[in-house]
Amino acid sequence: MSTENADAAESAAGAERHPNAEQQVITVDEQDEETGLANRLDAHTGEGQRHRAFTALVFDTEGRILLAQRAANKRLWDTRWDGTVASHPVHGQSQVEATRQRLEEELGVSPAQYSDLRVTDRFEYKRYWENDGLEWEVCAVLKVTLDDISLDPDTDEIEGLLWADYELLHDNPEWYRQLRLCPWFEIAMRRDFDGVTVDDGGVGLER
């Protein structure tokens, strides 16, 4: 079988394995400049492909952060705790637009419940998950404070929810070790407390 046919067969098998094979992500360079599109499953397997992503940190008016447990059906980092939603924008969609969409789809949070959604940081990281794949992302961090904390989570996306004291979570990780946090959230939280922010479109590297 030729290499081209082998690749096609592997892609077809991937499509049967997981619905992610039917989606695309935006590939980017080190500065988060678009370089093209990639199959989402391909971008998260083998050596991966660097692509654009975001994570949104959701707070209440008391400064607590909302942690969300990834559903057990997730292919990577299943049942790990995130803070709060993370995903990939589609082509032509801004990080803010993508976050608004995911907040509504995953948590049932509408734009009427907040007014301060904004990008606060951006970093590149690469992490492998057991033998199943990896994340290699330039990840934007967004923050938002809910004036109304009414939630209607999608259980296909979120297994559980927990409001936590943000400072205690950062300063005393051993108190929360049973939660098993997602690596991109741990990076975002550490950089947040270290005062690392990106205002000019630059990217901070995490290896």
Side-chain angles (χ1 to χ4, degrees), residues 17-195:
R17 283 199 308 271
H18 201 277
N20 283 0
E22 301 175 1
Q23 303 171 15
Q24 291 184 318
V25 294
I26 303 167
T27 57
V28 295
D29 64 15
E30 297 91 338
Q31 297 302 316
D32 199 27
E33 296 294 333
E34 293 187 26
T35 59
L37 297 173
N39 178 279
R40 180 173 171 179
L41 188 61
D42 292 343
H44 291 87
T45 53
E47 286 304 307
Q49 298 179 62
R50 184 194 295 112
H51 57 278
R52 182 173 293 163
F54 67 88
T55 186
L57 311 185
V58 176
F59 297 88
D60 66 8
T61 55
E62 297 178 9
R64 296 181 303 169
I65 189 167
L66 179 62
L67 301 180
Q69 186 180 31
R70 290 166 61 83
N73 62 12
K74 296 285 188 182
R75 200 178 71 84
L76 304 178
W77 281 274
D78 54 294
T79 72
R80 294 289 179 116
W81 287 82
D82 200 358
T84 305
V85 298
S87 192
H88 312 88
V90 299
H91 184 61
Q93 187 180 46
S94 72
Q95 304 284 20
V96 170
E97 290 168 342
T99 300
R100 288 190 189 279
Q101 178 181 338
R102 297 310 293 171
L103 287 174
E104 191 144 12
E105 292 176 349
E106 294 191 19
L107 292 171
V109 170
S110 75
Q113 293 175 245
Y114 57 85
S115 59
D116 64 341
L117 179 62
R118 73 278 188 197
V119 176
T120 61
D121 192 12
R122 187 180 292 106
F123 57 85
E124 179 185 346
Y125 76 101
K126 189 174 188 178
R127 295 290 187 276
Y128 289 85
W129 171 248
E130 298 177 349
N131 295 319
D132 293 328
L134 74 160
E135 295 285 4
W136 184 11
E137 299 178 333
V138 175
C139 183
V141 181
L142 297 94
K143 286 186 175 183
V144 63
T145 301
L146 300 185
D147 301 312
D148 172 3
I149 62 172
S150 302
L151 304 171
D152 183 19
D154 178 357
T155 54
D156 286 336
E157 296 286 342
I158 294 175
E159 207 77 38
L161 294 170
L162 173 67
W163 288 102
D165 184 293
Y166 191 40
E167 188 171 344
L168 285 179
L169 178 64
H170 172 266
D171 292 348
N172 302 280
E174 69 277 9
W175 296 358
Y176 298 89
R177 63 167 65 95
Q178 74 277 13
L179 296 181
R180 299 191 307 154
L181 303 177
C182 294
W184 55 86
F185 169 57
E186 291 185 299
I187 295 169
M189 179 171 57
R190 186 184 73 243
R191 288 169 60 90
D192 192 16
F193 277 88
D194 287 347

